[in-house]
Amino acid sequence: MKKLLGIGFWEIIARIILRNRLGFIFGIVLLTVGLAMQWKYIRFSNTEANLIPATDQVNLDYNQFLKVFGEEGNVIVIGSKDPKLFTPKVFESYTTLMANLAKDPEIGLVLSLENLKILRKNDSLAQFELAPFVNKTQLKDEAYLKQARAELTQRLPFYEGLLYSKDKSTLRSVVYMKKELVNTKARKDYILGRFSDKINQFEQATGVDLRVSGMPYIRSYNSKTITDEIGLFIGAALLITSLIFFFFFRSFRATLISMIIVIIGVMWSFGIMGAMGYEITVLTALVPTLMIVIGIPNCIFFINKYHQEYYKHANKAKALQRVITKTGTATLMTNITTAVGFATFIATNNVLLQEFGVLTTINIIAVYVLSLLLIPIFFSYIPAPIPRHLGHLEREYLTGFFVWIVNTVKYNRLSVYMVSIILLIFGIIGIYEIKISGSIIEDMPKKTAFFEDIRFFEKEFDGVMPLEIMIDTKRKNGALRATNLRRLEELEKTLTDIPDLSKPLSIVSVAKYAKQAYYNGNPDYFQLPTAQEEPFIATYIKNTAKGKNENLFKSYLSDDKSIARITTFIKDETGEKMPGIEQQIRQKTDKLFPKERYNVVITGRASVFQKGTNYLLDNLLSSLLFAFFLTGGLVAIMFRSFKMVLVAIIPNLLPLLMTAGLMGFLGIPLKPSTLLVFGIAFGMSVDDTLRFLAQYRLELSRNDWKIKKSVFATFDDAGISMFYTSIVLFFGFSVFMLSGFGGTVALGGLVAITLCFGMLSNLVLLPSLVLSLNKTLANEQEFIEPTIDILEHTDEELDALEEKKN
C-alpha cells in the first residue's frame, strides 16, 4: 500500500495529467454531456418518507391497515370561520365550487353542507333513507341558510369534528381524493393546478378566506417548496463561496476555475441522481448544494498549495507537478474520510438515508477527481501568479490569529485541557436535556400559507395527523356485536379524555346516528341502541343496505365486518407526547380487548413517523460509532500508532458533544434533520485533523524529528488551508439557513457551528495533544515509516527522485 500510494505513484499521476491535458478536458466534457442527458430521468418523490424498514413490525401493521381500509391520506379539508359564507351570494359561489370539485376526475367524493345527506326513517319500507339536508330551492334565503347551519351544529352530533368544530364556529367540507392517485404525480399536478386555481378564484370573487389542508394538499405544497429551494441553495452557495474565495485569494482566475469545478459537480450530481433512478426528496435535494460546499475546500487546498510552491521557487511547471505529488494521498484520504461521514447513512436500513448516503459518497469522490484534474490543467494554460495573488500567504489578520494559537499551544496547554474538560461536561449535561421529536409538520416551512392552515385546523379540530386503531375480533360480523360496540364506545371515551386527540370516528358513531334517525332525528337519542332496541334498528339497517346496495359502515369496518377502525387526529406539535398517548391507549385496549381473543393495532401516519424517528436515532448512533471506528482504523493503518488514533478522534469528538449539549440547552430536539448533523460534521471535521497530521509528519522529517519545532512549523503550512476551508464550510452550510424548512435550517446551522468548533479544536486541542502524547513518537519506527504514505513529501525527497530518474 505504501508503494501504491507513495511518492512515485503520484509523480506518475502528475505526469499523466499534465501531458494529457486536452484528453482529460475532452473526457470531462463528454462525461458531463452524458450525465446531463440523464437529467430527464430525474423525478420528484410522490410518496412520504418512511424511516422504518419494510420488514419492521411497525410497517407491517401499517401496511395491513392500508390493505384493509385503504389509503388514509386521501382527505382534503376546506374550512372557514367567515360568517359571510352563509350569505346567499357567497354560499351560491361556494356551492358551485364544491360541485366543480366533485366533477374533477381526481376526486371520488365531496362531503359538504350543500350536498349533505342525512339518515331518515321510512316506516313504510322499514329502512333508512339518505335524504338531502338542505332544500336547494331556499338557498337564496339568508334566514334559511342560518337555520340550516344551526340545525347542523345542534341536531347532528355525528358530524362534529367532521364538518364543524367543537365550538361550532368553523365549518368545513371534506374532499376525498381517489386513493389510487394519492402517491402519484397526478396528485401533485392536480393540487397545484386546477384545485388551487378554483380555490383562489372563489376567494378573489367573494373575499372569503378559505383554509385548506389535508395530507394530499400538505404533501403537494411541501414538495413544491423543496423544489423551489434547490435553485435558491445552489445560487446562494455559489455566490457566498465565490465571494469568500475571492476575498481570500484576490484572484479572478482562481475563483473562476473553482466555480467551474463546483458547477460541473452540481451537473454531475443531478446526472448521477437521474442515472441511478433516485427521486428528489428533502434530503437528496441538498446534494447539489453540498457539492458546492464540499468542492470549494478541495479547490482551496490545491490552489493554496500551488501558490505556496510557486512562492518558494517561482517555477510554474514544478509547482503544478508538486501540487499533485506532495499532496495527492493526503487529499485523497481527507476526501475519503468526508465520504465516510456521509456513507454511514448507507448502513441505516432506511431507503431515504441510503440514497442520500450513496449519492453524497459518489459525488464527493467525483468532485475530488475534478479538482485534482482541472486545477493543474487550468493553471498550466494561464500566466503564473502575480504578487497580488500570493499576498494572502502573509496577511496580517492571519498571522495575528496564528500567533495567538501558537502562543496558546506553547504556553497554555493546561488551560486548553481545562477548557476542553469544561466544554465536555457542558456537552454531557446538555445531552440529558435533549428531547426527541417525532412531529411530521415541525420541519415544514412555517412562513407558508399552507402551514398556517395546518395550525388553523389543529386549533379548530384538535389535530390534522391521523392516528388509527384497528381492532380485529377474529370472527365474521364480530365488530357489530353489541358487546364489542360497547367496548369500542368505552375506548372512545378514553380517547376523548386525552386533550391532544380529536373526537374519534368509528362504527360506534354510525350506530348512534342510526338510533337517532330511528327516533326521527332527535339528538337526545345519539347513543348506542339498547339490547331491546337493537333488533328493530338492525332490521332498518339491513333493509337500507339491501335496497341501496350500500354498506353504511364501509369506512369503519372490514368487508367481513370482523375488523373495526377508530380514527382520531393528534395535535402534531413535537410528537414527544405520542409514546405516552399510545401507552395510555394500549393500557385501555389490553383491558377491554384481551390479547387471546382480539388483535389491536395502533398505527397511522403520526404513529409511524414518531416510531421512525426513534428507529433512525438508534441506527444513526450505531452508524456514527461505525464512522469513529473506521476513521480510527484508517489512522491506525496509516501511522501504526494507537496514540495517533486518540489524537485524531478526541478533537473531533469534542465538537460533536458540544453541539449535542447546545441542542439540549437551546431546546433543539433530536429529529431526522438534526440527527444528520453528527455524521456529516464528523466526516468533514476529520479532514482538518488528517491534513494537520500529514503536515506534522513532514515537518518532523524536515526538523530532525524535533516535536515542538515540527508542531509549530505545521501551522505555517497546513494552518492557512485549515482556516480557509473551515470558513468556507461555515458559510457554505449557513446557506441552508435560508430554507423555509425548520429541519434544513437546523441542519445547516448546527453543522456550521460544529465545523467552527472543529476548526478551533483541530488548531488548538489537536497540536496540544500531539505535544503531550507524542513525546517518544519521533523515535518510533512505526511512525517514521507508516504503512500508508499519506504524507506530503519534502523538496529534497522529490528532487532526489527526479535526479534518480534522470
Side-chain angles (χ1 to χ4, degrees):
M1 181 66 75
K2 179 180 177 180
K3 293 181 179 179
L4 179 62
L5 296 179
I7 183 174
F9 171 80
W10 289 107
E11 189 195 43
I12 294 171
I13 295 297
R15 189 183 307 119
I16 291 173
I17 292 173
L18 294 173
R19 289 183 179 180
N20 300 275
R21 295 174 295 178
L22 291 178
F24 280 111
I25 291 174
F26 178 75
I28 290 171
V29 170
L30 194 64
L31 182 58
T32 302
V33 172
L35 288 173
M37 294 175 66
Q38 302 299 312
W39 293 358
K40 61 185 176 182
Y41 299 113
I42 295 176
R43 298 288 184 269
F44 292 92
S45 177
N46 294 306
T47 58
E48 279 189 305
N50 193 327
L51 304 176
I52 305 176
T55 56
D56 191 271
Q57 189 60 45
V58 173
N59 260 339
L60 295 177
D61 289 342
Y62 184 61
N63 290 333
Q64 177 63 23
F65 168 81
L66 295 180
K67 182 179 179 181
V68 175
F69 294 104
E71 175 62 48
E72 61 167 341
N74 68 322
V75 175
I76 306 169
V77 289
I78 305 171
S80 178
K81 296 185 74 168
D82 197 328
K84 287 192 299 183
L85 187 63
F86 284 86
T87 57
K89 185 176 180 180
V90 174
F91 193 82
E92 182 180 5
S93 298
Y94 187 75
T95 300
T96 302
L97 170 65
M98 292 299 119
N100 289 337
L101 291 177
K103 293 177 183 178
D104 288 337
E106 294 85 358
I107 301 302
L109 174 68
V110 173
L111 182 61
S112 187
L113 182 61
E114 77 285 347
N115 67 3
L116 184 63
K117 300 291 180 66
I118 59 173
L119 279 180
R120 286 183 179 167
K121 184 174 67 168
N122 186 326
D123 287 325
S124 61
L125 297 177
Q127 67 179 30
F128 294 119
E129 296 177 339
L130 289 173
F133 174 65
V134 297
N135 185 342
K136 294 186 177 181
T137 63
Q138 295 184 273
L139 294 182
K140 293 185 179 182
D141 184 349
E142 186 170 351
Y144 174 75
L145 291 176
K146 292 181 179 179
Q147 178 186 341
R149 174 175 180 167
E151 185 174 350
L152 172 69
T153 57
Q154 295 173 15
R155 297 186 58 82
L156 292 174
F158 175 77
Y159 291 106
E160 180 187 327
L162 184 63
L163 293 184
Y164 64 90
S165 59
K166 188 189 305 182
D167 64 0
K168 302 177 175 56
S169 64
T170 302
L171 277 86
R172 70 179 183 182
S173 299
V174 183
V175 180
Y176 294 88
M177 198 170 189
K178 290 182 178 177
K179 294 181 178 181
E180 61 270 20
L181 301 179
V182 169
N183 292 320
T184 67
K185 185 174 180 291
R187 179 259 304 160
K188 180 180 175 183
D189 292 341
Y190 171 69
I191 295 295
L192 299 180
R194 286 176 291 130
F195 179 86
S196 293
D197 289 342
K198 291 176 181 179
I199 297 294
N200 292 334
Q201 289 169 8
F202 171 83
E203 291 180 328
Q204 291 172 5
T206 63
V208 173
D209 179 27
L210 291 182
R211 302 286 189 157
V212 186
S213 194
M215 292 310 298
Y217 188 83
I218 293 171
R219 290 169 59 189
S220 297
Y221 273 92
N222 202 44
S223 62
K224 179 180 183 298
T225 307
I226 294 173
T227 306
D228 293 342
E229 287 191 351
I230 294 177
L232 170 66
F233 290 155
I234 292 175
L238 284 173
L239 177 62
I240 195 168
T241 52
S242 62
L243 289 175
I244 295 173
F245 197 96
F246 182 77
F247 174 78
F248 286 153
F249 289 96
R250 306 294 169 87
S251 170
F252 286 107
R253 302 169 184 173
T255 304
L256 176 63
I257 184 57
S258 300
M259 290 303 104
I260 290 174
I261 288 171
V262 295
I263 288 172
I264 293 174
V266 169
M267 296 174 68
W268 283 15
S269 67
F270 281 117
I272 293 170
M273 198 182 304
M276 300 187 75
Y278 290 168
E279 295 179 332
I280 292 182
T281 64
V282 69
L283 284 183
T284 55
L286 304 179
V287 173
T289 309
L290 285 172
M291 292 310 102
I292 299 173
V293 176
I294 295 172
I296 286 294
N298 279 325
C299 299
I300 288 175
F301 193 73
F302 282 119
I303 294 173
N304 190 60
K305 180 56 64 179
Y306 170 59
H307 285 175
Q308 288 175 335
E309 288 295 318
Y310 185 81
Y311 185 77
K312 290 178 183 178
H313 45 67
N315 186 325
K316 188 177 81 167
K318 188 176 182 179
L320 288 172
Q321 185 177 34
R322 292 195 172 178
V323 165
I324 301 172
T325 54
K326 293 181 71 173
T327 65
T329 310
T331 53
L332 174 62
M333 288 299 172
T334 54
N335 277 272
I336 287 177
T337 55
T338 301
V340 165
F342 286 91
T344 56
F345 301 129
I346 300 174
T348 59
N349 291 326
N350 174 264
V351 175
L352 187 70
L353 286 172
Q354 286 174 346
E355 291 181 355
F356 178 68
V358 169
L359 280 176
T360 48
T361 301
I362 293 173
N363 281 285
I364 286 168
I365 301 302
V367 170
Y368 162 71
V369 173
L370 277 173
S371 304
L372 180 67
L373 294 175
L374 289 183
I375 287 177
I377 291 173
F378 176 81
F379 282 103
S380 70
Y381 281 111
I382 65 174
I386 60 177
R388 176 169 58 86
H389 298 156
L390 304 178
H392 68 92
L393 298 174
E394 298 179 344
R395 295 235 171 91
E396 290 185 5
Y397 68 85
L398 270 181
T399 56
F401 177 66
F402 281 104
V403 165
W404 172 77
I405 289 179
V406 168
N407 288 334
T408 301
V409 174
K410 186 181 294 187
Y411 304 113
N412 297 295
R413 285 203 298 279
L414 182 60
S415 299
V416 171
Y417 297 141
M418 290 180 64
V419 170
S420 298
I421 292 172
I422 292 172
L423 292 175
L424 176 64
I425 295 172
F426 167 86
I428 293 174
I429 294 174
I431 287 173
Y432 284 97
E433 300 295 323
I434 294 181
K435 297 180 180 179
I436 299 175
S437 170
S439 169
I440 298 177
I441 68 171
E442 185 182 12
D443 283 344
M444 290 183 181
K446 294 179 173 56
K447 295 182 180 180
T448 57
F450 80 87
F451 187 84
E452 293 178 1
D453 288 351
I454 292 174
R455 290 304 191 201
F456 172 84
F457 283 106
E458 277 204 330
K459 179 181 178 182
E460 298 297 324
F461 291 88
D462 295 330
V464 292
M465 297 301 157
L467 180 65
E468 304 282 357
I469 305 170
M470 188 168 65
I471 299 97
D472 186 357
T473 64
K474 300 181 181 180
R475 61 179 65 185
K476 188 176 181 180
N477 296 317
L480 288 177
R481 294 182 61 185
T483 53
N484 287 332
L485 287 176
R486 301 203 180 282
R487 288 190 174 103
L488 289 172
E489 182 184 32
E490 188 173 346
L491 177 58
E492 284 192 1
K493 290 178 181 178
T494 299
L495 298 178
T496 303
D497 291 337
I498 299 175
D500 294 288
L501 297 181
S502 68
K503 176 189 173 184
L505 299 172
S506 72
I507 182 62
V508 173
S509 300
V510 178
K512 290 180 178 180
Y513 189 27
K515 179 175 177 178
Q516 179 186 352
Y518 184 80
Y519 286 99
N520 300 311
N522 188 339
D524 294 336
Y525 289 94
F526 186 75
Q527 52 190 248
L528 283 178
T530 63
Q532 293 77 20
E533 296 167 333
E534 185 181 348
F536 302 102
I537 296 176
T539 300
Y540 274 73
I541 293 174
K542 290 178 182 179
N543 291 339
T544 302
K546 182 179 179 181
K548 301 293 183 180
N549 195 28
E550 294 179 1
N551 182 359
L552 295 179
F553 310 139
K554 186 176 181 181
S555 297
Y556 305 103
L557 293 176
S558 60
D559 291 338
D560 64 356
K561 302 177 183 60
S562 65
I563 303 175
R565 166 193 185 182
I566 298 179
T567 299
T568 184
F569 295 87
I570 186 171
K571 291 181 180 178
D572 191 74
E573 295 171 350
T574 64
E576 64 180 14
K577 297 180 180 179
M578 179 65 75
I581 290 174
E582 287 199 20
Q583 183 180 9
Q584 192 173 347
I585 295 173
R586 181 63 66 182
Q587 288 175 350
K588 191 66 175 179
T589 57
D590 287 346
K591 180 179 179 181
L592 293 173
F593 303 99
K595 293 182 180 180
E596 61 273 12
R597 293 170 51 198
Y598 300 89
N599 183 33
V600 179
V601 172
I602 302 173
T603 185
R605 291 182 188 274
S607 175
V608 170
F609 190 87
Q610 195 277 334
K611 292 173 182 174
T613 301
N614 289 330
Y615 179 87
L616 185 61
L617 174 60
D618 294 338
N619 276 264
L620 283 181
L621 287 176
S622 60
S623 64
L624 189 59
L625 289 174
F626 172 74
F628 283 144
F629 284 116
L630 185 57
T631 302
L634 285 173
V635 174
I637 292 172
M638 291 187 292
F639 293 105
R640 294 185 183 178
S641 171
F642 178 72
K643 292 179 182 179
M644 297 308 295
V645 174
L646 292 178
V647 166
I649 295 297
I650 293 174
N652 294 287
L653 180 60
L654 181 61
L656 299 184
L657 293 175
M658 289 171 61
T659 300
L662 200 61
M663 289 173 60
F665 287 117
L666 294 180
I668 301 174
L670 281 176
K671 50 188 176 181
S673 53
T674 55
L675 284 170
L676 302 179
V677 169
F678 302 100
I680 294 174
F682 177 77
M684 303 189 76
S685 181
V686 164
D687 288 1
D688 282 344
T689 303
L690 292 181
R691 282 173 183 161
F692 187 94
L693 294 177
Q695 187 64 32
Y696 169 59
R697 164 60 172 80
L698 174 61
E699 296 299 336
L700 278 174
S701 63
R702 283 177 174 173
N703 295 287
D704 298 324
W705 308 98
K706 295 178 180 178
I707 294 177
K708 286 187 178 181
K709 188 175 181 180
S710 299
V711 167
F712 300 131
T714 300
F715 287 112
D716 296 334
D717 197 309
I720 293 177
S721 293
M722 291 167 64
F723 176 77
Y724 282 175
T725 54
S726 295
I727 294 299
V728 169
L729 289 171
F730 176 83
F731 285 102
F733 274 98
S734 296
V735 163
F736 292 121
M737 298 181 71
L738 297 174
S739 173
F741 291 88
T744 308
V745 171
L747 174 67
L750 290 172
V751 170
I753 291 172
T754 308
L755 292 176
C756 188
F757 288 154
M759 177 190 70
L760 293 174
S761 182
N762 280 306
L763 287 176
V764 179
L765 179 59
L766 174 61
S768 298
L769 289 171
V770 170
L771 289 172
S772 299
L773 297 178
N774 288 332
K775 290 182 179 179
T776 61
L777 190 58
N779 296 320
E780 293 182 9
Q781 186 68 21
E782 292 86 354
F783 185 66
I784 295 174
E785 296 182 2
T787 304
I788 300 178
D789 195 356
I790 70 154
L791 310 166
E792 296 188 11
H793 305 282
T794 64
D795 295 334
E796 292 77 11
E797 289 174 324
L798 293 168
D799 289 338
L801 183 64
E802 290 173 0
E803 287 179 8
K804 182 179 179 181
K805 293 195 173 182
N806 291 333

